Every structure is written in structure tokens, then in C-alpha cells.
PDB file of all heavy atoms in Angstrom:
ATOM      1  N   TRP A1317      24.211 -51.323 115.884  1.00 95.00           N
ATOM      2  CA  TRP A1317      23.231 -52.422 115.923  1.00 95.00           C
ATOM      3  C   TRP A1317      23.959 -53.721 115.719  1.00 95.00           C
ATOM      4  O   TRP A1317      24.874 -53.776 114.888  1.00 95.00           O
ATOM      5  CB  TRP A1317      22.177 -52.215 114.834  1.00 95.00           C
ATOM      6  CG  TRP A1317      20.941 -53.021 115.150  1.00 95.00           C
ATOM      7  CD1 TRP A1317      19.877 -52.595 115.876  1.00 95.00           C
ATOM      8  CD2 TRP A1317      20.694 -54.354 114.749  1.00 95.00           C
ATOM      9  NE1 TRP A1317      18.977 -53.604 116.013  1.00 95.00           N
ATOM     10  CE2 TRP A1317      19.407 -54.704 115.280  1.00 95.00           C
ATOM     11  CE3 TRP A1317      21.354 -55.295 113.976  1.00 95.00           C
ATOM     12  CZ2 TRP A1317      18.831 -55.926 115.082  1.00 95.00           C
ATOM     13  CZ3 TRP A1317      20.761 -56.535 113.770  1.00 95.00           C
ATOM     14  CH2 TRP A1317      19.523 -56.845 114.311  1.00 95.00           C
ATOM     15  N   PRO A1318      23.644 -54.785 116.491  1.00 96.00           N
ATOM     16  CA  PRO A1318      22.630 -54.901 117.550  1.00 96.00           C
ATOM     17  C   PRO A1318      22.867 -53.933 118.693  1.00 96.00           C
ATOM     18  O   PRO A1318      23.950 -53.355 118.825  1.00 96.00           O
ATOM     19  CB  PRO A1318      22.765 -56.331 117.998  1.00 96.00           C
ATOM     20  CG  PRO A1318      23.387 -57.057 116.872  1.00 96.00           C
ATOM     21  CD  PRO A1318      24.309 -56.104 116.252  1.00 96.00           C
ATOM     22  N   GLN A1319      21.847 -53.761 119.502  1.00 96.00           N
ATOM     23  CA  GLN A1319      21.902 -52.846 120.630  1.00 96.00           C
ATOM     24  C   GLN A1319      23.030 -53.256 121.583  1.00 96.00           C
ATOM     25  O   GLN A1319      23.144 -54.398 121.994  1.00 96.00           O
ATOM     26  CB  GLN A1319      20.570 -52.865 121.371  1.00 96.00           C
ATOM     27  CG  GLN A1319      20.542 -51.967 122.620  1.00 96.00           C
ATOM     28  CD  GLN A1319      19.149 -51.916 123.222  1.00 96.00           C
ATOM     29  OE1 GLN A1319      18.157 -51.882 122.507  1.00 96.00           O
ATOM     30  NE2 GLN A1319      19.075 -51.939 124.584  1.00 96.00           N
ATOM     31  N   PRO A1320      23.886 -52.330 121.945  1.00 95.00           N
ATOM     32  CA  PRO A1320      24.937 -52.651 122.920  1.00 95.00           C
ATOM     33  C   PRO A1320      24.342 -53.156 124.232  1.00 95.00           C
ATOM     34  O   PRO A1320      23.286 -52.725 124.657  1.00 95.00           O
ATOM     35  CB  PRO A1320      25.638 -51.315 123.138  1.00 95.00           C
ATOM     36  CG  PRO A1320      25.374 -50.519 121.890  1.00 95.00           C
ATOM     37  CD  PRO A1320      23.982 -50.918 121.462  1.00 95.00           C
ATOM     38  N   GLY A1321      24.997 -54.162 124.837  1.00 95.00           N
ATOM     39  CA  GLY A1321      24.577 -54.690 126.118  1.00 95.00           C
ATOM     40  C   GLY A1321      23.783 -55.952 126.033  1.00 95.00           C
ATOM     41  O   GLY A1321      23.478 -56.509 127.082  1.00 95.00           O
ATOM     42  N   VAL A1322      23.494 -56.462 124.808  1.00 97.00           N
ATOM     43  CA  VAL A1322      22.777 -57.728 124.728  1.00 97.00           C
ATOM     44  C   VAL A1322      23.783 -58.865 124.642  1.00 97.00           C
ATOM     45  O   VAL A1322      24.913 -58.674 124.177  1.00 97.00           O
ATOM     46  CB  VAL A1322      21.827 -57.761 123.494  1.00 97.00           C
ATOM     47  CG1 VAL A1322      20.761 -56.678 123.585  1.00 97.00           C
ATOM     48  CG2 VAL A1322      22.584 -57.712 122.188  1.00 97.00           C
ATOM     49  N   THR A1323      23.382 -60.029 125.099  1.00 97.00           N
ATOM     50  CA  THR A1323      24.220 -61.226 125.105  1.00 97.00           C
ATOM     51  C   THR A1323      23.443 -62.352 124.565  1.00 97.00           C
ATOM     52  O   THR A1323      22.251 -62.553 124.911  1.00 97.00           O
ATOM     53  CB  THR A1323      24.677 -61.543 126.517  1.00 97.00           C
ATOM     54  OG1 THR A1323      25.410 -60.427 127.075  1.00 97.00           O
ATOM     55  CG2 THR A1323      25.568 -62.784 126.531  1.00 97.00           C
ATOM     56  N   HIS A1324      24.026 -63.163 123.693  1.00 97.00           N
ATOM     57  CA  HIS A1324      23.372 -64.400 123.216  1.00 97.00           C
ATOM     58  C   HIS A1324      23.429 -65.451 124.311  1.00 97.00           C
ATOM     59  O   HIS A1324      24.468 -65.770 124.862  1.00 97.00           O
ATOM     60  CB  HIS A1324      24.085 -64.879 121.950  1.00 97.00           C
ATOM     61  CG  HIS A1324      23.581 -64.218 120.682  1.00 97.00           C
ATOM     62  ND1 HIS A1324      24.138 -63.065 120.198  1.00 97.00           N
ATOM     63  CD2 HIS A1324      22.587 -64.600 119.794  1.00 97.00           C
ATOM     64  CE1 HIS A1324      23.522 -62.704 119.069  1.00 97.00           C
ATOM     65  NE2 HIS A1324      22.569 -63.597 118.823  1.00 97.00           N
ATOM     66  N   ARG A1325      22.258 -65.993 124.558  1.00 97.00           N
ATOM     67  CA  ARG A1325      22.118 -67.017 125.624  1.00 97.00           C
ATOM     68  C   ARG A1325      21.298 -68.197 125.092  1.00 97.00           C
ATOM     69  O   ARG A1325      20.301 -68.011 124.391  1.00 97.00           O
ATOM     70  CB  ARG A1325      21.411 -66.428 126.825  1.00 97.00           C
ATOM     71  CG  ARG A1325      22.108 -65.255 127.528  1.00 97.00           C
ATOM     72  CD  ARG A1325      21.247 -64.757 128.654  1.00 97.00           C
ATOM     73  NE  ARG A1325      21.914 -63.758 129.463  1.00 97.00           N
ATOM     74  CZ  ARG A1325      21.928 -62.419 129.195  1.00 97.00           C
ATOM     75  NH1 ARG A1325      21.264 -61.937 128.158  1.00 97.00           N
ATOM     76  NH2 ARG A1325      22.574 -61.606 129.990  1.00 97.00           N
ATOM     77  N   ARG A1326      21.739 -69.390 125.440  1.00 97.00           N
ATOM     78  CA  ARG A1326      20.952 -70.573 125.128  1.00 97.00           C
ATOM     79  C   ARG A1326      19.634 -70.584 125.968  1.00 97.00           C
ATOM     80  O   ARG A1326      19.698 -70.414 127.181  1.00 97.00           O
ATOM     81  CB  ARG A1326      21.719 -71.839 125.430  1.00 97.00           C
ATOM     82  CG  ARG A1326      22.705 -72.274 124.366  1.00 97.00           C
ATOM     83  CD  ARG A1326      23.116 -73.732 124.617  1.00 97.00           C
ATOM     84  NE  ARG A1326      24.161 -74.158 123.739  1.00 97.00           N
ATOM     85  CZ  ARG A1326      24.569 -75.380 123.620  1.00 97.00           C
ATOM     86  NH1 ARG A1326      24.036 -76.344 124.451  1.00 97.00           N
ATOM     87  NH2 ARG A1326      25.522 -75.766 122.787  1.00 97.00           N
ATOM     88  N   VAL A1327      18.553 -70.842 125.296  1.00 98.00           N
ATOM     89  CA  VAL A1327      17.301 -71.153 126.000  1.00 98.00           C
ATOM     90  C   VAL A1327      16.809 -72.445 125.383  1.00 98.00           C
ATOM     91  O   VAL A1327      16.607 -72.532 124.188  1.00 98.00           O
ATOM     92  CB  VAL A1327      16.249 -70.033 125.844  1.00 98.00           C
ATOM     93  CG1 VAL A1327      15.073 -70.300 126.792  1.00 98.00           C
ATOM     94  CG2 VAL A1327      16.850 -68.641 126.129  1.00 98.00           C
ATOM     95  N   TYR A1328      16.605 -73.476 126.222  1.00 98.00           N
ATOM     96  CA  TYR A1328      16.398 -74.868 125.738  1.00 98.00           C
ATOM     97  C   TYR A1328      14.918 -75.170 125.534  1.00 98.00           C
ATOM     98  O   TYR A1328      14.059 -74.736 126.250  1.00 98.00           O
ATOM     99  CB  TYR A1328      16.980 -75.844 126.734  1.00 98.00           C
ATOM    100  CG  TYR A1328      18.478 -75.781 126.868  1.00 98.00           C
ATOM    101  CD1 TYR A1328      19.055 -74.937 127.803  1.00 98.00           C
ATOM    102  CD2 TYR A1328      19.322 -76.553 126.066  1.00 98.00           C
ATOM    103  CE1 TYR A1328      20.460 -74.842 127.894  1.00 98.00           C
ATOM    104  CE2 TYR A1328      20.681 -76.492 126.176  1.00 98.00           C
ATOM    105  CZ  TYR A1328      21.270 -75.642 127.096  1.00 98.00           C
ATOM    106  OH  TYR A1328      22.618 -75.558 127.208  1.00 98.00           O
ATOM    107  N   LEU A1329      14.681 -75.989 124.494  1.00 98.00           N
ATOM    108  CA  LEU A1329      13.317 -76.496 124.215  1.00 98.00           C
ATOM    109  C   LEU A1329      13.080 -77.712 125.110  1.00 98.00           C
ATOM    110  O   LEU A1329      13.916 -78.629 125.168  1.00 98.00           O
ATOM    111  CB  LEU A1329      13.183 -76.889 122.765  1.00 98.00           C
ATOM    112  CG  LEU A1329      12.902 -75.782 121.717  1.00 98.00           C
ATOM    113  CD1 LEU A1329      13.899 -74.678 121.746  1.00 98.00           C
ATOM    114  CD2 LEU A1329      12.746 -76.366 120.333  1.00 98.00           C
ATOM    115  N   SER A1330      11.963 -77.696 125.782  1.00 98.00           N
ATOM    116  CA  SER A1330      11.580 -78.762 126.689  1.00 98.00           C
ATOM    117  C   SER A1330      10.157 -79.257 126.372  1.00 98.00           C
ATOM    118  O   SER A1330       9.306 -78.410 125.997  1.00 98.00           O
ATOM    119  CB  SER A1330      11.645 -78.293 128.138  1.00 98.00           C
ATOM    120  OG  SER A1330      11.023 -79.204 129.025  1.00 98.00           O
ATOM    121  N   ALA A1331       9.933 -80.520 126.517  1.00 97.00           N
ATOM    122  CA  ALA A1331       8.597 -81.078 126.283  1.00 97.00           C
ATOM    123  C   ALA A1331       7.630 -80.769 127.430  1.00 97.00           C
ATOM    124  O   ALA A1331       6.397 -80.898 127.246  1.00 97.00           O
ATOM    125  CB  ALA A1331       8.690 -82.601 126.116  1.00 97.00           C
ATOM    126  N   ASP A1332       8.137 -80.368 128.596  1.00 97.00           N
ATOM    127  CA  ASP A1332       7.258 -80.043 129.694  1.00 97.00           C
ATOM    128  C   ASP A1332       6.302 -78.913 129.396  1.00 97.00           C
ATOM    129  O   ASP A1332       6.720 -77.916 128.767  1.00 97.00           O
ATOM    130  CB  ASP A1332       8.096 -79.703 130.938  1.00 97.00           C
ATOM    131  CG  ASP A1332       8.961 -80.850 131.446  1.00 97.00           C
ATOM    132  OD1 ASP A1332       8.648 -82.011 131.080  1.00 97.00           O
ATOM    133  OD2 ASP A1332       9.984 -80.596 132.068  1.00 97.00           O
ATOM    134  N   PRO A1333       5.054 -79.040 129.772  1.00 97.00           N
ATOM    135  CA  PRO A1333       4.065 -78.009 129.418  1.00 97.00           C
ATOM    136  C   PRO A1333       4.362 -76.703 130.121  1.00 97.00           C
ATOM    137  O   PRO A1333       4.795 -76.643 131.266  1.00 97.00           O
ATOM    138  CB  PRO A1333       2.768 -78.593 129.861  1.00 97.00           C
ATOM    139  CG  PRO A1333       3.148 -79.578 130.919  1.00 97.00           C
ATOM    140  CD  PRO A1333       4.427 -80.153 130.506  1.00 97.00           C
ATOM    141  N   SER A1334       4.098 -75.605 129.380  1.00 98.00           N
ATOM    142  CA  SER A1334       4.282 -74.274 129.956  1.00 98.00           C
ATOM    143  C   SER A1334       3.008 -73.780 130.582  1.00 98.00           C
ATOM    144  O   SER A1334       2.995 -72.867 131.414  1.00 98.00           O
ATOM    145  CB  SER A1334       4.706 -73.291 128.884  1.00 98.00           C
ATOM    146  OG  SER A1334       3.663 -73.039 127.971  1.00 98.00           O
ATOM    147  N   GLY A1335       1.878 -74.401 130.175  1.00 97.00           N
ATOM    148  CA  GLY A1335       0.571 -73.950 130.693  1.00 97.00           C
ATOM    149  C   GLY A1335       0.113 -72.622 130.070  1.00 97.00           C
ATOM    150  O   GLY A1335      -0.872 -72.036 130.596  1.00 97.00           O
ATOM    151  N   SER A1336       0.758 -72.182 129.005  1.00 98.00           N
ATOM    152  CA  SER A1336       0.460 -70.857 128.456  1.00 98.00           C
ATOM    153  C   SER A1336      -0.507 -70.950 127.278  1.00 98.00           C
ATOM    154  O   SER A1336      -0.945 -69.899 126.738  1.00 98.00           O
ATOM    155  CB  SER A1336       1.717 -70.155 128.025  1.00 98.00           C
ATOM    156  OG  SER A1336       2.366 -70.902 126.968  1.00 98.00           O
ATOM    157  N   THR A1337      -0.814 -72.128 126.755  1.00 97.00           N
ATOM    158  CA  THR A1337      -1.676 -72.261 125.572  1.00 97.00           C
ATOM    159  C   THR A1337      -2.395 -73.584 125.562  1.00 97.00           C
ATOM    160  O   THR A1337      -1.891 -74.615 126.050  1.00 97.00           O
ATOM    161  CB  THR A1337      -0.806 -72.101 124.283  1.00 97.00           C
ATOM    162  OG1 THR A1337      -1.691 -72.275 123.146  1.00 97.00           O
ATOM    163  CG2 THR A1337       0.247 -73.211 124.227  1.00 97.00           C
ATOM    164  N   GLU A1338      -3.601 -73.520 125.024  1.00 95.00           N
ATOM    165  CA  GLU A1338      -4.359 -74.751 124.765  1.00 95.00           C
ATOM    166  C   GLU A1338      -4.620 -74.918 123.291  1.00 95.00           C
ATOM    167  O   GLU A1338      -5.339 -75.783 122.830  1.00 95.00           O
ATOM    168  CB  GLU A1338      -5.692 -74.674 125.511  1.00 95.00           C
ATOM    169  CG  GLU A1338      -5.578 -74.643 127.038  1.00 95.00           C
ATOM    170  CD  GLU A1338      -6.944 -74.579 127.720  1.00 95.00           C
ATOM    171  OE1 GLU A1338      -7.952 -74.421 126.974  1.00 95.00           O
ATOM    172  OE2 GLU A1338      -6.984 -74.667 128.958  1.00 95.00           O
ATOM    173  N   ASP A1339      -3.964 -74.044 122.446  1.00 94.00           N
ATOM    174  CA  ASP A1339      -4.210 -74.001 121.029  1.00 94.00           C
ATOM    175  C   ASP A1339      -3.224 -74.784 120.219  1.00 94.00           C
ATOM    176  O   ASP A1339      -3.517 -75.121 119.044  1.00 94.00           O
ATOM    177  CB  ASP A1339      -4.267 -72.518 120.528  1.00 94.00           C
ATOM    178  CG  ASP A1339      -5.369 -71.774 121.204  1.00 94.00           C
ATOM    179  OD1 ASP A1339      -6.556 -72.161 121.099  1.00 94.00           O
ATOM    180  OD2 ASP A1339      -5.060 -70.681 121.792  1.00 94.00           O
ATOM    181  N   SER A1340      -2.062 -75.024 120.751  1.00 97.00           N
ATOM    182  CA  SER A1340      -0.968 -75.590 119.903  1.00 97.00           C
ATOM    183  C   SER A1340      -1.057 -77.114 119.836  1.00 97.00           C
ATOM    184  O   SER A1340      -1.733 -77.752 120.673  1.00 97.00           O
ATOM    185  CB  SER A1340       0.395 -75.172 120.409  1.00 97.00           C
ATOM    186  OG  SER A1340       0.638 -75.739 121.699  1.00 97.00           O
ATOM    187  N   LEU A1341      -0.358 -77.670 118.821  1.00 97.00           N
ATOM    188  CA  LEU A1341      -0.258 -79.132 118.693  1.00 97.00           C
ATOM    189  C   LEU A1341       0.402 -79.768 119.952  1.00 97.00           C
ATOM    190  O   LEU A1341      -0.004 -80.801 120.395  1.00 97.00           O
ATOM    191  CB  LEU A1341       0.555 -79.446 117.430  1.00 97.00           C
ATOM    192  CG  LEU A1341       0.720 -80.905 117.042  1.00 97.00           C
ATOM    193  CD1 LEU A1341      -0.583 -81.521 116.704  1.00 97.00           C
ATOM    194  CD2 LEU A1341       1.714 -81.037 115.885  1.00 97.00           C
ATOM    195  N   HIS A1342       1.403 -79.064 120.490  1.00 98.00           N
ATOM    196  CA  HIS A1342       2.031 -79.480 121.733  1.00 98.00           C
ATOM    197  C   HIS A1342       2.515 -78.264 122.478  1.00 98.00           C
ATOM    198  O   HIS A1342       3.189 -77.399 121.918  1.00 98.00           O
ATOM    199  CB  HIS A1342       3.208 -80.415 121.479  1.00 98.00           C
ATOM    200  CG  HIS A1342       3.878 -80.868 122.786  1.00 98.00           C
ATOM    201  ND1 HIS A1342       3.479 -81.934 123.518  1.00 98.00           N
ATOM    202  CD2 HIS A1342       4.925 -80.269 123.463  1.00 98.00           C
ATOM    203  CE1 HIS A1342       4.205 -82.032 124.599  1.00 98.00           C
ATOM    204  NE2 HIS A1342       5.095 -81.051 124.589  1.00 98.00           N
ATOM    205  N   ASP A1343       2.137 -78.126 123.724  1.00 98.00           N
ATOM    206  CA  ASP A1343       2.542 -77.057 124.572  1.00 98.00           C
ATOM    207  C   ASP A1343       3.810 -77.421 125.330  1.00 98.00           C
ATOM    208  O   ASP A1343       3.748 -78.178 126.305  1.00 98.00           O
ATOM    209  CB  ASP A1343       1.415 -76.697 125.554  1.00 98.00           C
ATOM    210  CG  ASP A1343       1.885 -75.670 126.610  1.00 98.00           C
ATOM    211  OD1 ASP A1343       2.828 -74.891 126.351  1.00 98.00           O
ATOM    212  OD2 ASP A1343       1.339 -75.756 127.757  1.00 98.00           O
ATOM    213  N   GLY A1344       4.969 -76.945 124.852  1.00 98.00           N
ATOM    214  CA  GLY A1344       6.256 -77.193 125.513  1.00 98.00           C
ATOM    215  C   GLY A1344       6.773 -75.968 126.190  1.00 98.00           C
ATOM    216  O   GLY A1344       6.131 -74.908 126.162  1.00 98.00           O
ATOM    217  N   SER A1345       7.941 -76.069 126.763  1.00 98.00           N
ATOM    218  CA  SER A1345       8.528 -74.944 127.533  1.00 98.00           C
ATOM    219  C   SER A1345       9.867 -74.494 126.947  1.00 98.00           C
ATOM    220  O   SER A1345      10.559 -75.263 126.252  1.00 98.00           O
ATOM    221  CB  SER A1345       8.746 -75.362 128.987  1.00 98.00           C
ATOM    222  OG  SER A1345       7.539 -75.706 129.610  1.00 98.00           O
ATOM    223  N   LEU A1346      10.223 -73.284 127.217  1.00 98.00           N
ATOM    224  CA  LEU A1346      11.580 -72.748 127.063  1.00 98.00           C
ATOM    225  C   LEU A1346      12.194 -72.600 128.420  1.00 98.00           C
ATOM    226  O   LEU A1346      11.580 -71.964 129.300  1.00 98.00           O
ATOM    227  CB  LEU A1346      11.568 -71.415 126.327  1.00 98.00           C
ATOM    228  CG  LEU A1346      11.342 -71.365 124.843  1.00 98.00           C
ATOM    229  CD1 LEU A1346      11.390 -69.916 124.324  1.00 98.00           C
ATOM    230  CD2 LEU A1346      12.424 -72.203 124.103  1.00 98.00           C
ATOM    231  N   ARG A1347      13.377 -73.170 128.597  1.00 97.00           N
ATOM    232  CA  ARG A1347      13.994 -73.169 129.897  1.00 97.00           C
ATOM    233  C   ARG A1347      15.486 -72.828 129.849  1.00 97.00           C
ATOM    234  O   ARG A1347      16.137 -73.115 128.852  1.00 97.00           O
ATOM    235  CB  ARG A1347      13.817 -74.522 130.594  1.00 97.00           C
ATOM    236  CG  ARG A1347      12.367 -74.843 130.886  1.00 97.00           C
ATOM    237  CD  ARG A1347      12.201 -76.109 131.698  1.00 97.00           C
ATOM    238  NE  ARG A1347      10.828 -76.322 132.166  1.00 97.00           N
ATOM    239  CZ  ARG A1347      10.438 -77.288 132.899  1.00 97.00           C
ATOM    240  NH1 ARG A1347      11.292 -78.249 133.274  1.00 97.00           N
ATOM    241  NH2 ARG A1347       9.165 -77.399 133.301  1.00 97.00           N
ATOM    242  N   PRO A1348      16.013 -72.242 130.916  1.00 96.00           N
ATOM    243  CA  PRO A1348      17.456 -71.937 130.922  1.00 96.00           C
ATOM    244  C   PRO A1348      18.351 -73.137 131.046  1.00 96.00           C
ATOM    245  O   PRO A1348      19.560 -73.072 130.860  1.00 96.00           O
ATOM    246  CB  PRO A1348      17.596 -70.999 132.102  1.00 96.00           C
ATOM    247  CG  PRO A1348      16.454 -71.318 133.001  1.00 96.00           C
ATOM    248  CD  PRO A1348      15.331 -71.716 132.122  1.00 96.00           C
ATOM    249  N   THR A1349      17.774 -74.332 131.342  1.00 96.00           N
ATOM    250  CA  THR A1349      18.564 -75.545 131.448  1.00 96.00           C
ATOM    251  C   THR A1349      17.999 -76.583 130.504  1.00 96.00           C
ATOM    252  O   THR A1349      16.807 -76.563 130.155  1.00 96.00           O
ATOM    253  CB  THR A1349      18.520 -76.136 132.866  1.00 96.00           C
ATOM    254  OG1 THR A1349      17.154 -76.309 133.289  1.00 96.00           O
ATOM    255  CG2 THR A1349      19.214 -75.137 133.864  1.00 96.00           C
ATOM    256  N   GLY A1350      18.832 -77.538 130.094  1.00 95.00           N
ATOM    257  CA  GLY A1350      18.454 -78.556 129.109  1.00 95.00           C
ATOM    258  C   GLY A1350      17.496 -79.563 129.679  1.00 95.00           C
ATOM    259  O   GLY A1350      17.269 -79.682 130.881  1.00 95.00           O
ATOM    260  N   PRO A1351      16.954 -80.427 128.782  1.00 93.00           N
ATOM    261  CA  PRO A1351      16.007 -81.486 129.222  1.00 93.00           C
ATOM    262  C   PRO A1351      16.699 -82.559 130.017  1.00 93.00           C
ATOM    263  O   PRO A1351      17.923 -82.785 129.918  1.00 93.00           O
ATOM    264  CB  PRO A1351      15.482 -82.022 127.866  1.00 93.00           C
ATOM    265  CG  PRO A1351      16.546 -81.751 126.901  1.00 93.00           C
ATOM    266  CD  PRO A1351      17.222 -80.457 127.301  1.00 93.00           C
ATOM    267  N   GLY A1352      15.951 -83.261 130.838  1.00 91.00           N
ATOM    268  CA  GLY A1352      16.546 -84.308 131.642  1.00 91.00           C
ATOM    269  C   GLY A1352      16.460 -85.667 131.043  1.00 91.00           C
ATOM    270  O   GLY A1352      17.152 -86.578 131.514  1.00 91.00           O
ATOM    271  N   ALA A1353      15.629 -85.840 130.016  1.00 94.00           N
ATOM    272  CA  ALA A1353      15.450 -87.144 129.393  1.00 94.00           C
ATOM    273  C   ALA A1353      15.177 -86.960 127.912  1.00 94.00           C
ATOM    274  O   ALA A1353      14.776 -85.888 127.471  1.00 94.00           O
ATOM    275  CB  ALA A1353      14.332 -87.908 130.039  1.00 94.00           C
ATOM    276  N   VAL A1354      15.362 -88.030 127.128  1.00 96.00           N
ATOM    277  CA  VAL A1354      15.101 -87.956 125.711  1.00 96.00           C
ATOM    278  C   VAL A1354      13.594 -88.073 125.431  1.00 96.00           C
ATOM    279  O   VAL A1354      12.932 -88.972 125.922  1.00 96.00           O
ATOM    280  CB  VAL A1354      15.868 -89.108 124.951  1.00 96.00           C
ATOM    281  CG1 VAL A1354      15.485 -89.100 123.451  1.00 96.00           C
ATOM    282  CG2 VAL A1354      17.330 -88.981 125.140  1.00 96.00           C
ATOM    283  N   GLU A1355      13.097 -87.128 124.665  1.00 96.00           N
ATOM    284  CA  GLU A1355      11.695 -87.148 124.206  1.00 96.00           C
ATOM    285  C   GLU A1355      11.663 -86.696 122.772  1.00 96.00           C
ATOM    286  O   GLU A1355      12.518 -85.937 122.329  1.00 96.00           O
ATOM    287  CB  GLU A1355      10.841 -86.250 125.091  1.00 96.00           C
ATOM    288  CG  GLU A1355      10.716 -86.698 126.524  1.00 96.00           C
ATOM    289  CD  GLU A1355       9.635 -85.954 127.251  1.00 96.00           C
ATOM    290  OE1 GLU A1355       8.452 -86.027 126.831  1.00 96.00           O
ATOM    291  OE2 GLU A1355       9.926 -85.346 128.292  1.00 96.00           O
ATOM    292  N   SER A1356      10.640 -87.158 122.024  1.00 97.00           N
ATOM    293  CA  SER A1356      10.464 -86.776 120.591  1.00 97.00           C
ATOM    294  C   SER A1356       9.062 -86.268 120.418  1.00 97.00           C
ATOM    295  O   SER A1356       8.058 -86.888 120.917  1.00 97.00           O
ATOM    296  CB  SER A1356      10.722 -87.949 119.679  1.00 97.00           C
ATOM    297  OG  SER A1356      12.069 -88.363 119.720  1.00 97.00           O
TER     298      SER A1356
END
């Protein structure tokens, strides 16, 4: 353990909406590439 064959990969936090929830304070995305602009 950990299970053989797994790899640590970056997944970036993005402010762009994922469209998966209407319940959160802010609906952002997880993406394989970084954000294009500065947002807070």
C-alpha cells in the first residue's frame, strides 16, 4: 500500500463553474491544466 500502479498527478483548482452543484458557496472546477488568469 498504496496500490501499485497509481501516480500522483496535479489537478488544478479553477474558478470556472463545473455545473455540478447549486448548493455550494462557489461552484468551481478541477482541471488538468492551470488557470489562465488571477482570481480570488
Side-chain angles (χ1 to χ4, degrees):
W1317 200 87
Q1319 178 174 320
V1322 300
T1323 301
H1324 276 87
R1325 299 175 172 90
R1326 279 193 185 191
V1327 190
Y1328 294 89
L1329 278 57
S1330 167
D1332 296 339
S1334 70
S1336 63
T1337 179
E1338 297 178 353
D1339 298 304
S1340 66
L1341 183 65
H1342 178 88
D1343 170 29
S1345 299
L1346 282 181
R1347 294 187 170 181
T1349 57
V1354 176
E1355 295 193 56
S1356 293

